[in-house]
């Protein structure tokens, strides 16, 4: 999400929309968002904090610029929302919502690099954010050139998102705004240049194939088709006191 300038009269207003079969993990670097959902959650998310919404069998939510930030000048909104597929046996659980402040998450330093474990397990730490599969998400910032060793520290497939600065990997120089996916599970090593900020995320892949249509994720095409009909017929649970509705997109 962004970075983008939120100006007077041009705010973030993501109307009521549904999800099934996944968790959405929202992590803000700058700016703030107000989250509301159909299980009654009303939660503001600020820089460094985490919102985890487990959709399970079905949830709806909205994401908007908080009222007190409207009409008060320009501010920057910048963050990430990671969609996490749920294991097959958890696809139909009741929806959940969890919020954690930055101070709740494991943090440590190593040779000028600052680490924060956002979710999952890594580097002998475990995040308090409740997840349903083996995964990880880390925020890493460097002051100086730093060689990051991953082998034996993180398990599974690895995505490397360069938020700021640049890295060196496999004799390539990659700058901010790009994302890499390691072809060698949990064994790669990269060099972060000075003043670089990256996010690592990944985990153990599932055995079953996943299907996706709009905001619906499932191991079953039939469940996705059923969710499409439910949304068109307005049969999903509603966000309290919100009549907005995002129509199902055409294929």
């Amino acid at each position: 999400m962004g970075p983008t300038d939120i100006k007077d009269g041009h705010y973030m207003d993501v109307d009521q929309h549904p999800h099934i079969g996944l968790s959405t993990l929202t992590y803000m670097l700058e700016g703030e968002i107000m989250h509301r959902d159909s299980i009654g959650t009303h939660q503001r998310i600020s820089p460094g904090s985490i919102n985890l919404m487990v959709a399970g069998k079905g949830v709806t939510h909205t994401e908007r610029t908080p009222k007190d930030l409207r009409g008060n000048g320009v501010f920057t909104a910048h963050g990430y929302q990671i969609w996490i597929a749920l294991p097959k046996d958890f696809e139909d659980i009741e929806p959940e919502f969890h919020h954690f402040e930055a101070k709740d998450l494991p943090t440590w330093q190593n040779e000028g690099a600052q680490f924060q474990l956002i979710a999952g397990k890594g580097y002998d730490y475990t995040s308090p954010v409740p997840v349903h599969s083996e995964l990880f998400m880390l925020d890493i910032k460097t002051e100086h050139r730093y060689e990051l060793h991953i082998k034996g520290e993180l398990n599974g497939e690895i995505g490397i998102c360069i938020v700021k600065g640049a890295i060196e990997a496999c004799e390539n120089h990659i700058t901010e705004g790009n994302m890499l996916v390691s072809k060698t599970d949990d064994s790669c090593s990269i060099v972060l240049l000075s003043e670089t900020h990256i996010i690592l995320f990944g985990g153990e892949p599932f055995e079953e194939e996943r299907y996706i249509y709009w905001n619906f994720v499932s191991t079953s095409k039939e469940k996705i088709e059923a969710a499409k009909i439910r949304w068109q017929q307005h049969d999903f649970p509603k966000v309290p006191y919100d009549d907005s509705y995002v129509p199902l997109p055409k294929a």
Side-chain angles (χ1 to χ4, degrees):
M1 297 179 284
T4 188
D5 289 336
I6 304 297
K7 304 176 182 179
D8 290 349
H10 298 274
Y11 305 112
M12 181 177 183
D13 276 307
V14 181
D15 286 339
Q16 194 165 194
H17 60 282
H19 290 283
I20 66 165
L22 55 70
S23 299
T24 60
L25 189 155
T26 306
Y27 177 52
M28 295 300 293
L29 303 177
E30 298 179 81
E32 298 183 313
I33 294 174
M34 186 65 72
H35 166 99
R36 295 177 185 265
D37 62 39
S38 55
I39 58 177
T41 308
H42 179 194
Q43 177 64 57
R44 188 181 187 122
I45 181 170
S46 302
S49 59
I50 302 295
N51 278 0
L52 181 76
M53 183 182 71
V54 183
K57 66 181 185 180
V59 71
T60 59
H61 73 129
T62 61
E63 294 158 306
R64 305 189 187 281
T65 299
K67 290 183 178 180
D68 60 293
L69 295 183
R70 298 176 183 234
N72 289 321
V74 179
F75 68 92
T76 300
H78 186 199
Y80 290 84
Q81 186 174 95
I82 307 297
W83 286 16
I84 307 169
L86 289 170
K88 184 177 181 179
D89 292 343
F90 288 83
E91 286 184 336
D92 296 319
I93 63 174
E94 292 293 329
E96 304 171 1
F97 183 88
H98 307 273
H99 175 83
F100 293 86
E101 299 293 337
K103 63 180 178 59
D104 301 323
L105 306 174
T107 58
W108 66 98
Q109 293 191 0
N110 182 47
E111 299 179 0
Q114 300 177 7
F115 291 73
Q116 184 170 55
L117 182 62
I118 299 169
K121 299 178 181 178
Y123 294 88
D124 296 324
Y125 291 89
T126 300
S127 167
V129 176
V131 294
H132 294 89
S133 58
E134 293 296 321
L135 56 82
F136 57 85
M137 182 173 172
L138 291 104
D139 185 295
I140 305 173
K141 300 175 183 175
T142 62
E143 298 176 3
H144 311 289
R145 183 183 177 92
Y146 179 82
E147 184 172 2
L148 177 67
H149 298 285
I150 297 175
K151 186 175 182 179
E153 305 292 353
L154 302 171
N155 294 322
E157 300 173 334
I158 301 172
I160 305 166
C161 178
I162 308 170
V163 179
K164 176 185 175 183
I167 69 171
E168 294 174 354
C170 302
E171 302 181 354
N172 292 300
H173 180 88
I174 305 101
T175 56
E176 62 187 69
N178 290 292
M179 188 176 77
L180 291 78
V181 177
S182 174
K183 294 183 178 179
T184 54
D185 288 3
D186 61 47
S187 64
C188 67
S189 177
I190 60 176
V191 173
L192 284 65
L193 304 188
S194 299
E195 303 297 327
T196 289
H197 179 190
I198 68 171
I199 292 177
L200 296 182
F201 61 93
E204 297 290 353
F206 295 131
E207 294 181 0
E208 314 91 355
E209 184 176 0
R210 289 302 185 282
Y211 303 101
I212 182 169
Y213 181 94
W214 191 33
N215 303 316
F216 305 138
V217 175
S218 180
T219 55
S220 165
K221 291 183 179 180
E222 290 75 18
K223 286 185 180 180
I224 290 179
E225 290 301 315
K228 290 161 65 175
I229 294 171
R230 284 169 58 201
W231 184 245
Q232 289 176 313
Q233 295 180 345
H234 297 263
D235 286 338
F236 265 78
K238 305 294 191 299
V239 177
Y241 312 110
D242 192 306
D243 295 326
S244 63
Y245 176 83
V246 177
L248 185 79
K250 296 181 180 179

